[in-house]
Amino acid sequence: MLLHFSPASSTSPPSPSSFTSNYFLHRLSNSRPPYLEFPLKPRTHLFKPTSPPVSYSTKTKLLYPSANRAEFRSYALPGFDFGSVESVLEAAGVLTAIIVVHETGHFLAAYLQGIRVSKFAVGFGPILAKFNANDVEYSIRAFPLGGFVGFPDNDPDSDIPDDDANLLKNRPILDRVIVISAGVVANIIFAYAIIFTQVLSVGLPVQEPFSGVLVPDVRPFSAASRDGLLPGDVILAINGIQLPETGPRVVSQVVDVIKKNPKRNVFLKVERGKQDFEIGVTPDEKVDGTGKIGVQLSPNIKITKLRPNNIFEAFNYAGKEFWGLTYNVLDSLKQTFMNFSQSASKVSGPVAIIAVGAEVARSTVDGLYEFAALLNLNLAVINLLPLPALDGGSLALVLLEAARGGRKLPLELEQRIMSSGIMFVLLLGLFLIVRDTLNLEFIKDLL
């Protein structure tokens, strides 16, 4: 479901006959399970760091596979925190844009080939607004967590003859492959465009790591606040154990000690300005029996910007960054399947995606660019998997038809395969929405 910002963490609780988009975020499992993370490769793409279903109907989903690398400077909480309304709207806007781009890919691939399209929708459920143009219904729907492009192939209300040559199901295999694949292609192009825009507008962040763990924020009335920890402090050691320079485990090393010591004093060696001293913090106990002190943590790094000197350098930087992120997505997906028993419980839904996006939006403009690029790349990769309810599932059926010499599978069998996949995705989506909603900070506080 990716680029290198430093992960922040916290010890406080923190449609049939259509191409559709459903988004699922994967929570990283290898470094610290309670925290949302993006499996991102350290930024070595440009340089070496100074230190270390039926009738062609598909569901698409986004997954952040498990990995042991993460980079966003400040975005993750054990309980999700939406933060400001502005940041939530920015994150929701990114997600909506990616949905629109994906579905526009399917739509244009069909429309430009003269294939009949009946609907283009952003969202699911009841229609909030719509208009019709060129026999296509464009609509905005109540639940902006996906979208779909509808085809009249199996619409019982359609007055188009079943043998119409411009129905998707009646077109040659290559035409259908182009339509099915176009959503993925659109997201890949969009991801590169986002990275290229970032290179030209704000540059690519370069990180120089330092020893210890930075404390960007301390919650009021928390254990850390009560015992004297301040925003901007750098934790150099915990319980006498010196912390290394930034790495995939440096933050989780601190988090693990705190979680294992509820109501027991934890000694932190802290750097504040030019002074080093020790602070004793007694973690509060969470409902699950683990400790929390109410701080946000991130690796101690200094970030500068790498900017291109000319357009050729911009293309070069963007290309290397794009391929680096793509490699990370593929590598993370591989790790997810290799450790599926451990990573399956880390899948999260659209609520978590927006929560992470909101935190990224509050933290850094760079993060929002990369958040958007990574969502696109994850969506593209996951949708190519040959699973029912994904674009790859529909593509697999078409390729199977080609392998059978143009003989299609029985319609009833196709319907069962795709419908079962769609039902699974819908049930999984509902479960994840409920679970992730219960993980929101303000919901946890109410409970």
Side-chain angles (χ1 to χ4, degrees), residues 297-427:
L297 303 175
S298 72
N300 185 22
I301 57 173
K302 178 182 179 181
I303 299 178
T304 58
K305 296 296 179 63
L306 180 67
R307 297 178 182 272
N309 295 316
N310 52 60
I311 193 66
F312 301 105
E313 272 195 356
F315 279 111
N316 184 40
Y317 290 170
K320 289 182 178 179
E321 185 69 3
F322 173 83
W323 288 114
L325 297 185
T326 302
Y327 171 82
N328 277 320
V329 172
L330 296 172
D331 184 59
S332 298
L333 182 63
K334 180 186 72 173
Q335 293 185 42
T336 296
F337 283 108
M338 291 177 63
N339 301 281
F340 189 75
S341 60
Q342 299 177 11
S343 60
S345 63
K346 307 303 176 184
V347 176
S348 299
V351 172
I353 294 177
I354 294 177
V356 172
E359 184 65 26
V360 170
R362 293 198 301 275
S363 304
T364 166
V365 174
D366 303 310
L368 200 57
Y369 276 110
E370 306 213 16
F371 176 74
L374 295 170
L375 286 177
N376 274 284
L377 290 173
N378 275 275
L379 177 60
V381 170
I382 293 302
N383 269 285
L384 285 177
L385 297 178
L387 302 174
L390 299 181
D391 289 348
S394 294
L395 187 60
L397 290 177
V398 174
L399 295 179
L400 179 60
E401 175 188 333
R404 286 162 49 90
R407 291 183 295 115
K408 297 181 180 180
L409 292 177
L411 180 59
E412 183 178 353
L413 178 58
E414 279 195 27
Q415 290 176 334
R416 287 181 180 177
I417 293 173
M418 301 306 292
S419 296
S420 63
I422 289 175
M423 182 59 66
F424 172 76
V425 169
L426 290 176
L427 292 176

Side-chain angles (χ1 to χ4, degrees), residues 3 40 70 74 79 95 122 128 150 165 173 185 194 250 283 290 301 313 320-321 323 333 339 352 382 416 442 447:
L3 141 127
L40 312 181
S74 175
L95 189 56
V122 177
L128 301 180
I173 289 176
V185 173
I194 290 169
V250 64
T290 60
I301 57 173
E313 272 195 356
K320 289 182 178 179
E321 185 69 3
W323 288 114
L333 182 63
N339 301 281
I382 293 302
R416 287 181 180 177
F442 70 92
L447 299 177

